[in-house]
Amino acid sequence: MTAAGRGTMATPSIKEVAHRAGVSVGTVSNVLNRPWIVAPATRQRVQDSIHALGFVRNEAARHLRAGKSRTVGLVVLDVANPFFTDLAEGAEALAYEHDTVVMLCNSKTDPVREGHHLDQLEQQRVLGILITPFDSNDPRLTALVARGTPVVLVDRAADRGLCSVSVDDQLGGRLAGNHLIESGHRRIAFIGGPFTMQQVSDRMAGITAIAEQKSVDLEYYEVDVMGVVEGRAIGEQIAAMPARSRPTAAFLANDLLALGFLQAMSVAGLRVPRDMAIVGYDDIDFARAAAVPLSSVRQPAELLGRSAMELLQEEVEAADRHRHRQVIFQPDLIVRESSDYTRR
């Protein structure tokens, strides 16, 4: 079946606009790109032709001819996690101010999928890439920069070879651990994963340091994916343990894990926080809306996204004069009913 048979129409070309307006293709191009150099009457005639024909300029082709795009790639670990939604909102807000579009890619914590997205974004000649990488030391990232595509790590620390925006996750782990220990807990579970992911290992290192300092037992549970289902599964496993050996508190590496874990405690009939105190990480909106409002280590997701976009804009505009910067924010512990006896 032909295009006409399907009821579609071919996109009008710049030549058709020129023919209808009785001007050259060059004049139409000037109206589109440098309208101030075209006589008002001629400019109006061209604009009338554009509207009459329904002509839409091909911005992608124009930018590719110029060797640059107005699109920024944003690669995140899990779009199902509201933390990354908030992060993307911050990045997009600043991109909008700079007449730039954000293309969101989901790696699903898969380095192969992440590599595919990076290849596609480079082929699209994006203006730059913001990424929460599976491995912040992946040589593909510095290779992209060497080939001319600026890269900023988001929610990840970097060395001086890349710009980065991150949160002090070791401090976040210490805040959570110190709160639980000061609340009287001596058997604590840390749940997160994979442990090879930088922010997970940093959060684990933070609570481990506090536990060792205070001579507290800390048990480690690794998951492949940090989601509600995985949190519920670990929760069921821990809830089935004898009370005398079961941890009395849990620090989970993100709020989705913590919410699933909280569900498992409820189903098992364990009281939160009396039988099991729970602290998550990220402080997503669902944390405060849970059946038992969830204590959580808050990191400023929107500010992370916005700051990363600022660093990228600086790198694009400064080019060879750019000096990489690493911006580190401090987390805050938000204490709610899931870990605070006095609130129940």
Side-chain angles (χ1 to χ4, degrees):
M1 183 180 291
T2 65
R6 291 194 299 266
T8 60
M9 297 177 62
T11 302
S13 69
I14 194 169
K15 290 182 179 179
E16 292 175 271
V17 172
H19 178 74
R20 183 183 180 93
V23 299
S24 68
V25 169
T27 298
V28 177
S29 179
N30 285 335
V31 170
L32 293 171
N33 300 298
R34 297 181 298 167
W36 59 89
I37 70 170
V38 182
T42 303
R43 186 167 66 237
Q44 186 62 53
R45 201 160 68 248
V46 170
Q47 290 171 343
D48 289 344
S49 296
I50 288 172
H51 293 313
L53 292 172
F55 171 80
V56 178
R57 68 190 303 169
N58 189 334
E59 283 292 308
R62 186 169 73 90
H63 291 312
L64 286 175
R65 284 195 298 272
K68 60 181 179 180
S69 169
R70 299 305 301 172
T71 300
V72 170
L74 173 59
V75 185
V76 301
L77 290 172
D78 183 9
V79 295
N81 186 340
F83 166 77
F84 290 111
T85 305
D86 293 342
L87 189 153
E89 185 172 346
E92 195 279 333
L94 188 62
Y96 178 79
E97 294 174 15
H98 287 81
D99 194 27
T100 304
V101 174
V102 174
M103 180 185 297
L104 180 62
C105 302
N106 183 21
S107 73
K108 302 184 74 171
T109 324
D110 180 353
V112 175
R113 188 182 178 102
E114 176 184 284
H116 170 77
H117 288 317
L118 291 175
D119 290 342
Q120 292 295 316
L121 290 170
E122 185 177 22
Q123 291 170 22
Q124 294 295 321
R125 302 293 193 272
V126 292
L127 189 65
I129 296 173
L130 309 179
I131 181 171
T132 304
F134 183 84
D135 178 6
S136 57
N137 296 313
D138 189 335
R140 289 177 301 186
L141 301 176
T142 51
L144 279 167
V145 176
R147 292 194 294 266
T149 302
V151 174
V152 176
L153 303 192
V154 192
D155 195 32
R156 286 288 196 284
D159 59 24
R160 296 185 181 277
L162 294 170
C163 282
S164 66
V165 178
S166 62
V167 170
D168 187 343
D169 283 321
Q170 289 199 27
L171 173 58
R174 293 196 299 272
L175 290 172
N178 195 57
H179 165 63
L180 292 172
I181 292 169
E182 287 187 348
S183 297
H185 298 283
R186 291 296 178 266
R187 294 194 307 275
I188 302 173
F190 173 79
I191 304 164
F195 288 166
T196 53
M197 288 175 56
Q198 182 179 328
Q199 84 266 43
V200 175
S201 63
D202 284 349
R203 294 167 194 178
M204 182 168 62
I207 192 172
T208 297
I210 290 293
E212 290 176 350
Q213 179 183 337
K214 304 289 186 179
S215 299
V216 168
D217 292 333
L218 185 62
E219 300 177 8
Y220 303 92
Y221 296 83
E222 185 174 18
V223 295
D224 294 328
V225 178
M226 295 199 294
V228 173
V229 173
E230 291 73 21
R232 188 184 306 122
I234 293 293
E236 291 169 353
Q237 177 183 334
I238 290 177
M241 297 171 63
R244 64 182 179 277
S245 58
R246 184 174 61 225
T248 62
F251 171 44
L252 298 100
N254 79 2
D255 284 343
L256 294 184
L257 276 173
L259 290 170
F261 190 86
L262 175 61
Q263 289 177 4
M265 296 302 106
S266 177
V267 171
L270 296 181
R271 296 166 297 175
V272 177
R274 187 164 300 278
D275 299 320
M276 179 67 68
I278 303 173
V279 176
Y281 207 103
D282 292 336
D283 195 33
I284 61 176
D285 288 341
F286 294 127
R288 65 181 70 92
V292 180
L294 182 66
S295 295
S296 185
V297 178
R298 174 183 293 169
Q299 50 178 344
E302 287 192 37
L303 185 57
L304 284 169
R306 188 176 183 91
S307 299
M309 186 64 75
E310 287 177 350
L311 289 180
L312 183 64
Q313 292 288 350
E314 287 179 11
E315 187 165 353
V316 169
E317 293 170 5
D320 295 339
R321 296 175 284 106
H322 176 72
R323 291 182 179 273
H324 295 303
R325 294 198 290 130
Q326 289 73 47
V327 179
I328 302 176
F329 293 98
Q330 302 300 300
D332 298 305
L333 175 65
I334 309 301
V335 177
R336 300 190 179 95
E337 285 88 330
S338 72
S339 67
D340 186 355
Y341 295 106
T342 66
R343 297 175 183 243
R344 298 299 290 166

